[in-house]
Amino acid sequence: MKMLINVPETVVADALRGIAAAHPELTVDVERRVVVRRDAPVAGKVALVSGGGSGHEPLHAGFVGPGMLDGACPGEVFTSPVPDQMVRAAAAVDSGAGVLFVVKNYTGDVLNFEMAAELAEDEGIQVAKVLVDDDVAVADSLYTAGRRGTGATLFVEKLAGAAAEEGMPLERVESLARRVVRRSRSFGVALSSCTTPAKGSPTFDLPPGELELGVGIHGEPGRERRGMMTAREIAEVAVDAVLDDLRPSDPVLLLVNGMGGTPLLELYGFNAEVRRVLDARRVPVARTLVGNYVTSLDMAGCSVTLCTADEELLRLWDAPVATAALRWGR
C-alpha cells in the first residue's frame, strides 16, 4: 500500500509536528504526546481532556481549542495513550476548577484513564470521567465490554466543552456530558478495510462487492456482511438501527461521518438519503454536520450518529467553537 509517510515508527510524531506547524494556537509536546490549547489553563474554567489511539483524526487533537477540548493525548495508531500522558495533559490545563476526562469505551482507554484519574487526584487535581458508549451495532466487541464509543464522542466534546466555556462547575459539566451520552446513538458501515502503517496491508478481509454493517472504528466486526447496497438502502439500515434504540422525542443533532476514505460528494449524497429516512420516520433534524470527523485511517464507509437535543443542548451546540477541525461563531 502507498502511504504519505516516512517510516511507520514515526508516523504519529511526524503528524504532531505537522499539527504544531499548522496551528500556533496549540501547544504540542511531540515527545510526550500531549496537545493543549496555548492559553491553558483558563482561570476558573473546568478543563476537558480526551484521547485515544491515533488513526481517528481529527479526533481528538483536532478538537482542542476554545469551545471544545483543553487537551488531548494521542496514542500510537489504534493504541490507547498511557496514563502519564493523561496526567500531564490534566496538569497542563487544570485551573483549579477540575478536569473532565472524556473516554471512549475501549478497554485500554478505560483502564488507562481510570489510572490517570487516580494519579491526577494524588497530585491535587479534581477529576471526573464520562464514558462514551453510543454504538448500537453490537453489545460487546474485540476491544470493549459493552458498546463501543464512536461518533457521539464529538457531540460530548462539543456540548460539554461549550458548557465549560460558559463557566459551569465540574459537577454540571459532567452531568451534561452524561446526558449527551444517554441521548446519543451511532451505527457504522464499512465499504473497505483500513490499513495501519505498521501492517501496510488491509487489517481485515472484506471481499469486493461486500460491505460490513455495524463496523467499529478499528475495523471490529459488525452485525453482518451483505452484498454492496445503494446509499438509499444503507441509510435505511443505519437509521433504523439507531432509531430502534434511541426513539427520540425531541429534534436531533445529526452527524453523517466519513470513515476517512469516502469523499464528501458521496457523504453529502448519503446525507440526503439519511434525511429522507428521518423525514419518513417523522424525526425532525435541528442541526446537521457532514464530514470526516471520527475516522478509521483510510477506511471507505460512514457512520450515522443522532443525539436527541433539548433547548439547552441546541444552545450549546450553536455556541462558538474554534478548533483545527470544527469552528463557527467566532
Side-chain angles (χ1 to χ4, degrees), residues 53-305:
S54 295
H56 305 303
E57 289 72 24
L59 194 79
H60 293 274
F63 298 143
V64 175
M68 285 191 81
L69 296 176
D70 294 84
C73 312
E76 292 298 325
V77 173
F78 289 179
T79 303
S80 172
V82 298
D84 283 353
Q85 290 174 261
M86 302 163 184
V87 175
R88 193 172 295 115
V93 300
D94 179 40
S95 68
V99 176
L100 178 68
F101 284 162
V102 180
V103 188
K104 301 190 302 303
N105 188 32
Y106 296 96
T107 302
D109 291 352
V110 172
L111 294 175
N112 286 340
F113 269 106
E114 286 179 351
M115 186 179 299
E118 294 176 2
L119 294 171
E121 287 172 349
D122 288 344
E123 295 185 10
I125 301 171
Q126 184 182 6
V127 176
K129 304 185 297 294
V130 60
L131 186 69
V132 184
D133 56 354
D134 54 303
D135 186 2
V136 302
V138 293
D140 298 286
S141 76
L142 300 175
Y143 290 75
T144 65
R147 289 176 167 172
R148 303 175 292 215
T150 58
T153 311
L154 182 150
F155 287 152
V156 173
E157 293 177 357
K158 172 62 181 81
L159 296 167
E165 208 74 44
E166 285 187 352
M168 290 188 191
L170 181 60
E171 295 78 10
R172 285 194 63 194
V173 176
E174 177 190 6
S175 175
L176 184 136
R178 294 183 185 277
R179 177 151 57 100
V180 175
V181 173
R182 290 194 301 270
R183 288 169 166 254
S184 300
R185 299 291 187 274
S186 298
F187 189 87
V189 179
L191 309 183
S192 75
S193 179
C194 55
T195 305
T196 62
K199 191 170 188 287
S201 60
T203 57
F204 64 95
D205 178 43
L206 187 56
E210 293 188 6
L211 52 75
E212 181 91 28
L213 293 173
V215 73
I217 58 174
H218 306 96
E220 308 99 315
R223 290 183 175 181
E224 63 175 308
R225 289 190 176 182
R226 292 189 190 176
M228 189 58 196
M229 301 159 64
T230 65
R232 176 179 292 259
E233 293 167 333
I234 294 171
E236 289 172 352
V237 171
V239 172
D240 283 347
V242 171
L243 292 181
D244 284 347
D245 196 285
L246 185 62
R247 303 183 184 279
S249 57
D250 291 317
V252 298
L253 302 174
L254 165 62
L255 170 63
V256 173
N257 173 67
M259 295 292 198
T262 298
L264 279 171
L265 179 70
E266 296 177 32
L267 290 177
Y268 276 113
F270 182 66
N271 179 58
E273 297 299 338
V274 170
R275 288 296 298 269
R276 177 188 60 80
V277 178
L278 289 170
D279 289 345
R281 307 296 188 269
R282 297 183 178 180
V283 177
V285 177
R287 306 287 187 274
T288 302
L289 186 64
V290 179
N292 290 285
Y293 293 102
V294 183
T295 64
S296 183
L297 293 167
D298 59 343
M299 181 187 289
C302 59
S303 62
V304 174
T305 304

